[in-house]
Amino acid sequence: MKKNALDWIAGILVIVGALNWGLIAINPTWDVVALIGGEATSIVARIIYGLVGLSGLYAIYMMTKD
């Protein structure tokens, strides 16, 4: 199956989210999204968190569509 741009973007965001949670598990101050987008309450960080969440839902859809 050929992957389109949405598949790649969603995949990268799912990986970013997974790595971020892994780092938070090691040390709660290692929040990469907050490092990139500012505090967790900033609009940029909230957008990134939202996109990661949507990517997770898209990944669930892709895994169950066939």
Side-chain angles (χ1 to χ4, degrees), residues 9-50:
I9 292 168
I12 290 168
L13 287 170
V14 167
I15 291 168
V16 166
L19 292 174
N20 192 54
W21 278 110
L23 288 171
I24 290 172
I26 295 169
N27 183 341
T29 63
W30 293 351
D31 187 346
V32 176
V33 173
L35 192 75
I36 294 168
E39 292 184 30
T41 57
S42 76
I43 190 70
V44 174
R46 291 180 67 174
I47 289 170
I48 294 170
Y49 285 125

